Amino acid sequence: LEKIMTTAAEITGAEAPAGASASANPDLRWYIVHAYSGMEKAVERNIQERISRSGMSDKFGRILVPTEEVVEMKNGQRKTTERRLFPGYVFVEMIMDDD
């Protein structure tokens, strides 16, 4: 999973601040949220909104929808599109507790 997350972070362009490790809190662990395919960005937005409303940002790290840019040829023209690496899944770095 660490290799996948490293690859996902590189593809999405997520970078840690200078001098910081991949996660600031060593207690954070990666969890996978299953979502309807095509709704990953909406799920990501919804999770971020709920975190900010509930004031639990200290228990959450990164929320990733791993994507890559793909260049397609359509009607003789190059078109760059974004393709999801794991359709239907959202990666959440968090501390799991009873809250």
Side-chain angles (χ1 to χ4, degrees):
L1 182 61
E2 250 341 282
K3 183 178 179 186
I4 292 171
M5 296 317 301
T6 302
T7 304
E10 290 169 0
I11 290 172
T12 58
E15 294 181 7
S21 64
S23 60
N25 187 342
D27 297 331
L28 293 174
R29 299 195 53 184
W30 285 104
Y31 295 91
I32 310 278
V33 177
H34 186 78
Y36 287 119
S37 186
M39 299 297 293
E40 298 91 346
K41 290 288 186 184
V43 169
E44 177 186 21
R45 259 192 327 271
N46 195 358
I47 290 171
Q48 289 173 342
E49 288 174 10
R50 293 186 85 169
I51 290 168
S52 63
R53 270 189 299 204
S54 63
M56 298 178 70
S57 60
D58 57 327
K59 296 186 181 194
F60 285 85
R62 296 172 286 178
I63 300 172
L64 297 177
V65 178
T67 58
E68 67 179 345
E69 288 188 2
V70 178
V71 178
E72 299 174 343
M73 294 296 287
K74 205 171 200 179
N75 297 331
Q77 295 183 3
R78 293 173 57 121
K79 182 179 178 183
T80 304
T81 59
E82 203 172 73
R83 183 178 74 90
R84 289 176 183 83
L85 291 178
F86 302 102
Y89 295 97
V90 179
F91 299 134
V92 181
E93 188 180 30
M94 62 180 275
I95 298 172
M96 180 70 77
D97 61 7
D98 293 334
D99 293 337

